[in-house]
Amino acid sequence: MRHIWRTALYARMLSHPGMTIFLGLDETGSPASTATLIVIPNLTRSMRPYALIENVVSLETHRGRGFGKAVVTYAIDAAWQAGCYKVMLLTGSNRPAVHRFYEACGFVQNKTGFQIRRSA
């Protein structure tokens, strides 16, 4: 039953307007990394959309082999193809290696991020 629920949720995510999930496969065709791109309509910047990348994950056994960078780069390219004027990405990690990874993907840490989470 859990599998059916997950399949339905995944189908709903894929049908959400502006959302694309990228999946990087290793040499055997198995999933190695993923990233989610959300293109958001916008009223400013000549009504050009902006994008948000979330859920960047690589299997621990595949890290450092270019799979994560490949899906992030592909997501950025898709945002440019969609006419986005910027792509944003937030990370909750304080690990310098994670920050270096995003910088190697072309991101610059130059904004202050805020969030609010719903209490339990």
Side-chain angles (χ1 to χ4, degrees):
M1 183 71 160
R2 203 152 115 203
H3 175 68
I4 293 169
W5 178 83
R6 286 183 183 169
T7 302
L9 177 61
Y10 191 64
R12 194 170 94 212
M13 287 172 62
L14 291 176
S15 69
H16 187 80
M19 180 180 282
T20 306
I21 299 172
F22 298 93
L23 184 63
L25 305 177
D26 69 12
E27 49 282 337
T28 69
S30 297
S33 60
T34 187
T36 300
L37 175 72
I38 303 166
V39 175
I40 303 161
N42 189 27
L43 288 174
T44 63
R45 302 285 180 150
S46 301
M47 298 185 76
R48 291 172 58 202
Y50 61 94
L52 176 66
I53 294 177
E54 266 291 342
N55 300 324
V56 177
V57 180
S58 289
L59 289 174
E60 192 170 344
T61 56
H62 289 66
R63 290 181 188 156
R65 296 175 49 196
F67 293 108
K69 187 171 183 179
V71 293
V72 169
T73 300
Y74 204 87
I76 293 167
D77 289 344
W80 298 154
Q81 291 286 328
C84 293
Y85 80 94
K86 72 177 176 182
V87 179
M88 297 183 294
L89 181 146
L90 297 173
T91 180
S93 176
N94 291 322
R95 295 184 353 218
V98 173
H99 296 186
R100 284 192 302 273
F101 167 76
Y102 290 125
E103 289 168 352
C105 290
F107 287 93
V108 177
Q109 187 177 10
N110 63 355
K111 289 204 171 200
T112 301
F114 294 88
Q115 68 172 334
I116 187 168
R117 293 186 180 227
R118 187 177 184 171
S119 60

